[in-house]
């Protein structure tokens, strides 16, 4: 089951919110910065101990001051024109996040629009990959696709239909 919701992912009361992290896992701008601010400094301390995460993979931490019990940190690809396996790496980021959720028995998961901000992935293309990967990998989980702005909400809704 997939729904689209527009707003700030850090406010959601779910088993896990997914963070569009960078490979250092040491925080950054965009949704990553918002999640670290809302979770508090203990999140950064746990992330430091993980020692990074390659593009397309995912790592799980606690949620600390967030409503969400866990944060799944995944690293989407930087868009470099489309011939550097960006599509495959974005699909892997979704797939590995869902696999990690499943391993931990989590069923309600919220994703931001991974890679479509600072990393420059075309948002319509990313929406299609997100919906296709979730539909194939996790038809049994309750997934919220979080749009921060109305344009992204429209693209995600279109991708589901
Ligand atoms: P990336 O580096 O993977 O591109 P960004 O954080 O720059 O990650 O952007 C990913 C998406 O997250 C963008 O659509 C951006 O508008 C959105 N975003 C930024 N802050 C939040 C937030 N607090 N809640 C949900 N989505 C957010």
């Amino acid at each position: 089951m997939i729904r689209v919701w527009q707003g700030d992912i850090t406010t959601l009361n779910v088993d896990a919110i997914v963070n569009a992290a960078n490979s250092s896992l040491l925080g950054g701008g965009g949704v990553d910065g918002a999640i670290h601010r809302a979770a508090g400094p203990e999140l950064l301390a746990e992330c430091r101990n993980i020692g990074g995460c390659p593009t397309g993979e995912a790592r799980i931490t606690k949620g600390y001051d967030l409503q969400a019990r866990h944060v799944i940190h995944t690293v989407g690809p930087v868009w470099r024109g489309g011939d550097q396996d960006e599509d495959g790496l974005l699909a892997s980021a979704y797939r590995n996040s869902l696999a990690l959720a499943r391993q931990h028995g989590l069923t309600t998961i919220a994703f931001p629009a991974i890679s479509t901000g600072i990393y420059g992935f075309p948002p319509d293309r990313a929406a299609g990959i997100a919906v296709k990967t979730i539909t194939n990998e996790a038809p049994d989980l309750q997934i919220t696709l979080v749009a921060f702005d109305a344009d992204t909400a429209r693209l995600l809704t279109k991708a589901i239909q």
Side-chain angles (χ1 to χ4, degrees):
M1 199 197 86
I2 310 180
R3 68 172 184 139
V4 175
W5 180 80
Q6 189 182 339
D8 179 357
I9 198 169
T10 66
T11 65
L12 290 179
N13 183 358
V14 288
D15 292 335
I17 61 172
V18 175
N19 182 14
N22 60 58
S23 56
S24 75
L25 298 186
L26 298 180
V31 71
D32 194 2
I35 288 171
H36 276 277
R37 277 193 298 278
E42 286 173 298
L43 178 61
L44 187 56
E46 186 176 354
C47 285
R48 277 209 185 89
N49 284 329
I50 296 174
C53 176
T55 303
E57 294 191 16
R59 303 287 185 266
I60 192 166
T61 65
K62 289 187 269 189
Y64 300 100
D65 292 346
L66 292 164
Q67 299 277 334
R69 263 74 69 205
H70 298 274
V71 180
I72 293 173
H73 306 261
T74 191
V75 183
V78 175
W79 181 259
R80 294 195 167 90
D83 59 0
Q84 305 289 314
D85 195 28
E86 290 93 333
D87 289 357
L89 289 166
L90 185 62
S92 291
Y94 281 95
R95 195 173 53 247
N96 286 319
S97 297
L98 292 165
L100 206 46
R102 205 181 283 288
Q103 282 164 31
H104 288 260
L106 313 181
T107 56
T108 57
I109 321 294
F111 283 91
I114 299 165
S115 283
T116 68
I118 299 160
Y119 280 6
F121 204 107
D124 51 343
R125 190 175 177 111
I129 292 167
V131 169
K132 187 173 163 202
T133 308
I134 291 164
T135 305
N136 289 339
E137 303 287 329
D140 53 328
L141 303 181
Q142 282 177 261
I143 308 297
T144 302
L145 293 177
V146 179
F148 205 42
D149 56 82
D151 280 352
T152 302
R154 187 176 46 76
L155 289 173
L156 289 169
T157 303
K158 205 174 92 193
I160 289 172
Q161 284 158 358

